[in-house]
Amino acid sequence: RRWDDCAVRIDGDAESEAALGWVIYELLANIPARDSTVSVGARGLTHTRYKGCCFWDTEMFVLPFALLTDPEAARNLLGFRVRGLDAAREHARAMNGSGARYPWMVALDGSEQCESWDIGCSEVHVTADIAYAVGQYLDWTHDEGFLRRGGAELLCETARFWPSRVTPAPDGVNLLFCKGPDEYCGITSNNLYTNCMIKRNLELAEAAAKYVDITEDELASWRELGRKLKLPRDPDTGRYRQDDSFHLLEEVDITKLKPDDTAAYSRVCFDALQRLRVIKQADVLLLMTRLPAWFSETEKLAAWEDFEPLCLHDSTLSFATHALFAAQNGLDEAAERYFNKALWLDLRDVMSNTGKEGLHLACLGETWQAAVFGFAGLHLADGRPALAPRLPAHWRAMEFKFHFQGKKYSARVTHDKAEIKEA
Ligand code: IFM
């Protein structure tokens, strides 16, 4: 019954409909919908890769599916992070920081399990990603009870971490020693994705501050920090940079590194990959799918031109985000091409690692997002659900149901019509 309720019907492409039905089946099977003491491991319940630990994969990639099809499941996933707040505070203190810092690779008790100290220390974006997901949950549910029962505390405690993590500079602040989603950037500073997510974390905390005891001075300091965070741009062209050092990396012909869809790291050593101008997985483009209103159409298309050709898609988190970005920005051919890679990634073992290491939950979640937020273009406009369809040419229609503020709706889109009705 639940599977049927989550179904995405595609008129004109029975094969894609069936594959997406399988994606949805696996998401349902791997999300602990009624239990907030556990979360979703990077490989779900299908493999012990990464010791079964949870990453940002859950909040940024999987959670939106739960949020729109079963909001209680989304609340429980976030409840897992609320339960982990004390451990995140401890983690922040252990790393000489304030507030709460979520581990990169978290175990059930909330502790850091990443064995590579530089990755664990530098991929700080996970903390802001969790806050982003709380914001997304609140936008779609208006669940004030969640804010009162730990949600606001999570937003404010994560906001409190950032003043202790940035470094003052004469022209603002720098986020040093960081890695964004592109894990092949070396160790860099001012990753655009991370700095924007921190800004969003600070904004969300300010909006939630009335539920927690926060002084006016602290609120003002968050506002000031938001203003001081740098969003790197090329000084000549004004185009967004991924971070402060990506443009210094050595240019390389990526077709030589990546003759097929298997990961380049099986042929090129990690040390070299950190020094070449290649991108492991969607980074700036991911940001622009998550905060689309923060960027103009020109900025988004420039980012596609600059970053898409350099992406190796060495992580399974990448194809579906490219599909989503392309669909949201009218790049129809690319949207379909990337969607097909993501849709079949595990079913056809596209990257030759599904048999070896299990299903890729983030890819499954993002594939659903590419269909619903990308091809159907579901989004919130002035706080209400709206559609902006970009269906592949051979899809005649697409239909699905979703939840918004306690009610269930059905959406139907064709090439010339888009309709949302109470279900
Ligand atoms: O969280 C991801 C990361 O972004 C890329 N490497 C694998 C992790 C787990 O899926």
Side-chain angles (χ1 to χ4, degrees):
R1 187 163 28 81
R2 287 182 59 208
W3 189 32
D4 199 41
D5 215 38
C6 298
V8 175
R9 307 274 175 225
I10 302 168
D11 181 5
D13 189 343
E15 207 182 38
S16 294
E17 182 183 275
L20 198 52
W22 175 83
V23 164
I24 291 165
Y25 176 84
E26 292 297 350
L27 285 167
L28 287 174
N30 284 282
I31 295 174
R34 299 290 172 263
D35 184 354
S36 66
T37 64
V38 288
S39 184
V40 185
R43 300 291 179 269
L45 298 167
T46 68
H47 201 275
T48 55
R49 173 93 166 111
Y50 298 119
K51 303 190 270 189
C53 291
C54 312
F55 293 74
W56 66 314
D57 303 32
T58 306
E59 287 75 21
M60 296 305 288
F61 296 86
V62 174
L63 187 132
F65 165 77
L67 174 57
L68 268 72
T69 60
D70 180 6
E72 192 187 333
R75 191 173 66 230
N76 282 324
L77 290 176
L78 294 174
F80 174 77
R81 295 299 194 172
V82 171
R83 283 171 181 273
L85 205 43
D86 280 340
R89 282 192 192 100
E90 232 172 80
H91 189 48
R93 272 195 301 278
M95 309 223 39
N96 303 114
S98 52
R101 167 185 182 144
Y102 282 95
W104 173 237
M105 184 172 161
V106 77
L108 285 185
D109 64 359
S111 62
E112 176 65 274
Q113 294 297 310
C114 183
E115 283 162 6
S116 166
W117 73 270
D118 52 339
I119 293 183
C121 293
S122 61
E123 296 213 34
V124 279
H125 64 82
V126 56
T127 294
D129 298 333
I130 292 165
Y132 172 92
V134 170
Q136 191 179 32
Y137 172 79
L138 294 171
D139 285 347
W140 284 85
T141 61
H142 289 200
D143 180 358
E144 210 191 334
F146 177 73
L147 270 177
R148 292 185 193 283
R149 286 188 298 275
E153 199 185 339
L154 185 156
L155 292 173
C156 293
E157 283 292 88
T158 48
R160 280 188 167 133
F161 168 62
W162 301 114
S164 68
R165 183 58 175 77
V166 296
T167 306
D171 56 346
V173 296
N174 287 313
L175 183 75
L176 302 179
F177 197 74
C178 72
K179 253 187 196 307
D182 168 22
E183 293 173 316
Y184 289 170
C185 61
I187 292 290
T188 189
S189 52
N190 293 320
N191 168 253
L192 179 71
Y193 172 95
T194 309
N195 282 9
C196 285
M197 284 292 167
I198 298 173
K199 266 176 173 289
R200 179 72 182 142
N201 189 167
L202 296 167
E203 272 180 16
L204 289 163
E206 190 182 342
K210 63 175 187 262
Y211 298 94
V212 189
D213 208 9
I214 306 284
T215 64
E216 256 315 310
D217 283 355
E218 190 167 18
L219 279 182
S221 73
W222 290 348
R223 265 178 237 129
E224 194 189 345
L225 177 55
R227 280 193 299 274
K228 284 185 166 175
L229 279 164
K230 295 180 190 163
L231 306 184
R233 286 181 189 259
D234 181 301
D236 298 326
T237 62
R239 287 157 95 109
Y240 278 111
R241 280 180 168 165
Q242 180 176 287
D243 52 47
D244 287 346
S245 53
F246 184 73
H247 61 289
L248 303 176
L249 301 171
E250 185 184 331
E251 281 186 72
V252 65
D253 175 359
I254 86 157
T255 55
K256 295 216 171 82
L257 300 184
K258 184 105 177 167
D260 55 35
D261 284 330
T262 57
Y265 59 70
S266 56
R267 292 175 295 276
V268 186
C269 77
F270 273 109
D271 171 56
L273 287 169
Q274 303 291 336
R275 290 179 288 105
L276 298 176
R277 204 177 302 170
V278 293
I279 297 170
K280 183 182 180 195
Q281 63 200 79
D283 188 307
V284 174
L285 299 179
L286 171 67
L287 167 68
M288 292 177 168
T289 64
R290 294 329 196 242
L291 293 171
W294 286 29
F295 303 94
S296 69
E297 200 185 324
T298 314
E299 286 166 346
K300 287 183 219 172
L301 293 177
W304 179 266
E305 252 174 51
D306 290 346
F307 301 117
E308 187 267 347
L310 303 180
C311 191
L312 292 169
H313 308 288
D314 266 12
S315 160
T316 56
L317 275 60
S318 197
F319 289 135
T321 303
H322 279 72
L324 174 57
F325 181 101
Q328 284 178 335
N329 292 288
L331 303 161
D332 299 339
E333 178 279 324
E336 225 180 296
R337 180 163 41 85
Y338 279 118
F339 182 73
N340 281 324
K341 295 255 191 220
L343 181 63
W344 296 98
L345 187 115
D346 282 324
L347 275 173
R348 291 192 177 146
D349 200 6
V350 168
M351 289 180 67
S352 307
N353 60 4
T354 302
K356 278 188 251 166
E357 22 174 287
L359 300 182
H360 299 89
L361 268 290
C363 177
L364 299 176
E366 189 78 346
T367 301
W368 178 90
Q369 292 194 57
V372 170
F373 297 150
F375 291 142
L378 181 65
H379 63 287
L380 293 177
D382 300 323
R384 301 287 312 164
L387 297 160
R390 294 296 305 206
L391 290 186
H394 64 290
W395 291 17
R396 286 188 290 272
M398 181 176 162
E399 277 178 56
F400 55 93
K401 296 191 188 106
F402 68 90
H403 291 248
F404 172 69
Q405 286 185 29
K407 284 193 184 149
K408 198 145 90 179
Y409 295 85
S410 64
R412 180 179 158 79
V413 299
T414 61
H415 287 277
D416 44 28
K417 210 169 154 201
E419 211 183 0
I420 294 178
K421 283 202 290 218
E422 247 183 74

